[in-house]
Amino acid sequence: MTNERTPNPHQQSQPAHHHDHAPEQKPISSQKALLGVALVLVVAVLLGVLGIMSRRSADAVLAQRTHDQAAPSVIAEIPKPGTPVDNYVLPGNVTAYTDSPIFARTSGYLTHWYFDFGARVKKGDLLAEIATPELDQQLAQAEADLNTARASAGNAKIQADRYAGLVKSDAVSRQDTETFTTQAATTSSAVKSAESNVQRLKELQSFEKVYAPFDGIVTARGVDTGQLINQGAANELFHMQAIQTLRVYANVPQVYSQSVKRGSKIDLTFAEYAGRIFQGTLVRTADAIDPVSRTLLVEIDVDNRAGQLLPGSLAQVHFKTPPAGPTFIVPASALIFRREGLRVGTVVNGNVAHLVPVIIGEDDGATVQIVNGIGAGDKVIQDPPDSLIEGEKVYLEGANNQASPGGK
């Protein structure tokens, strides 16, 4: 008998529990895996190449910027044309025709001086007197020695003459005769020596009086009464200059050296005589170019008998020359002084420095005249750095200059 249970309507039915299972994943194929790895490698390589290129680009930009920063900044301008040169003015040093310091030739004490500085004296005028008591005593002693020597020489000569007469009759021996003859010659030489010594001391004694050696003016007095005077160049007693004719020395640039001729008349001007022209004569040249300054030394003599001009002053010497070619005016600061000579910096090919040898004419301190070396279209560097070298890249500044590619 089957026991069947009657469903209880009051009993809730229990829902059936179903277990959910995840869908099965299909395995990745080997081709897809290799493709993924390849894509990753390509991306990594691209990123590496991009990084390297970026660093190289940055290095190149840094190097270019460093190079541009290293290029000196300069201002270059076209030089101004100058007037044709048919005359030029140079400074001249005015000196006395004769300039002489006067020293003592003997030692002693200054007893008196007769002319002070500024005095005009004639040749042979007595300037000062020196007392030399020691020298006077030496002279007196030398004169006494001379008298003694003369007496001895006279006695020796008498004896020699007597024996020379007696030896003929064989009254005296020949040996004694020769002895007295030799003695006479010896004493005669002693007399000459004593006379020379006396003359020397007299010459020294004559220097007790100091005389003017030429016509001129006393420009300095370095001693006073009672001062001890030492022989030699230790103490300068006076200083004299002859100013009747003055010498004017000037250094002519090499480019004008062939235009100066001996005997030509040269005009001179002086600051203390505004508007007045003095004339001198070119009397001599050095006939050689100074290798340091590349100039020719010339001397111009000026008549100064009126005494208007003073030695030691500065003159403006006006030289005349045949007209030269075109000239240009540049600032004095544009000049570059190098061991090989005077140079001016120019800019070529847009941004390349080129050092040009030049010859200058007039120089007024602020500007100089270039008579040879540059042309009308050259760009001259106005204030070049000392380190500027030939072929160096430069950076041009200023409104009139165009910056070169790759510049600052």
Side-chain angles (χ1 to χ4, degrees), residues 334-345 355-358 384:
L335 298 179
I336 303 174
F337 297 91
R338 295 290 167 85
R339 181 177 58 184
E340 57 272 15
L342 193 62
R343 297 290 187 269
V344 164
L355 303 185
V356 181
V358 295

Side-chain angles (χ1 to χ4, degrees), residues 67-252:
H67 181 269
D68 295 339
Q69 293 288 342
S73 300
V74 298
I75 298 176
E77 294 183 358
I78 296 176
K80 299 178 181 179
T83 57
V85 177
D86 59 356
N87 64 80
Y88 54 98
V89 182
L90 297 174
N93 295 318
V94 182
T95 64
Y97 197 86
T98 304
D99 189 318
S100 176
I102 300 175
F103 300 98
R105 188 63 181 83
T106 186
S107 300
Y109 290 91
L110 190 76
T111 58
H112 195 75
W113 54 266
Y114 297 95
F115 293 98
D116 210 341
F117 68 93
R120 297 180 181 271
V121 297
K122 296 291 184 181
K123 180 178 180 179
D125 284 349
L126 181 61
L127 300 178
E129 293 183 4
I130 302 173
T132 57
E134 294 179 356
L135 179 61
D136 296 340
Q137 294 299 319
Q138 291 176 8
L139 178 58
Q141 181 181 356
E143 289 176 340
D145 293 340
L146 174 59
N147 293 331
T148 301
R150 283 174 176 172
S152 299
N155 181 57
K157 187 176 183 305
I158 293 173
Q159 293 291 342
D161 292 343
R162 181 181 298 118
Y163 271 73
L166 294 175
V167 75
K168 294 177 182 179
S169 60
D170 294 330
V172 293
S173 67
R174 187 173 297 275
Q175 182 178 0
D176 291 341
T177 302
E178 291 176 354
T179 299
F180 281 103
T181 302
T182 302
Q183 185 178 1
T186 303
T187 54
S188 178
S189 298
V191 170
K192 293 180 180 179
S193 176
E195 288 176 346
S196 298
N197 188 37
V198 169
Q199 184 62 30
R200 179 183 65 86
L201 294 173
K202 285 184 176 180
E203 291 291 338
L204 288 176
Q205 192 180 50
S206 68
F207 292 123
E208 292 178 347
K209 293 180 171 52
V210 181
Y211 298 97
F214 52 82
D215 294 352
I217 184 171
V218 177
T219 58
R221 174 180 61 84
V223 292
D224 209 342
T225 302
Q227 186 172 344
L228 176 64
I229 305 300
N230 294 317
Q231 176 184 351
N235 271 341
E236 181 179 309
L237 305 183
F238 299 92
H239 200 102
M240 282 188 60
Q241 292 181 338
I243 61 172
Q244 294 83 357
T245 301
L246 296 179
R247 304 176 192 258
V248 180
Y249 294 99
N251 295 91
V252 177

Side-chain angles (χ1 to χ4, degrees), residues 7-27:
N8 188 357
H10 297 284
Q11 187 177 1
Q12 294 181 351
S13 61
Q14 296 294 330
H17 294 281
H18 299 283
H19 296 283
D20 295 333
H21 296 284
E24 294 184 358
Q25 294 181 353
K26 295 181 179 181

Side-chain angles (χ1 to χ4, degrees), residues 320-339:
K320 296 180 180 179
T321 182
T327 61
F328 302 94
I329 305 299
V330 301
S333 59
L335 298 179
I336 303 174
F337 297 91
R338 295 290 167 85
R339 181 177 58 184

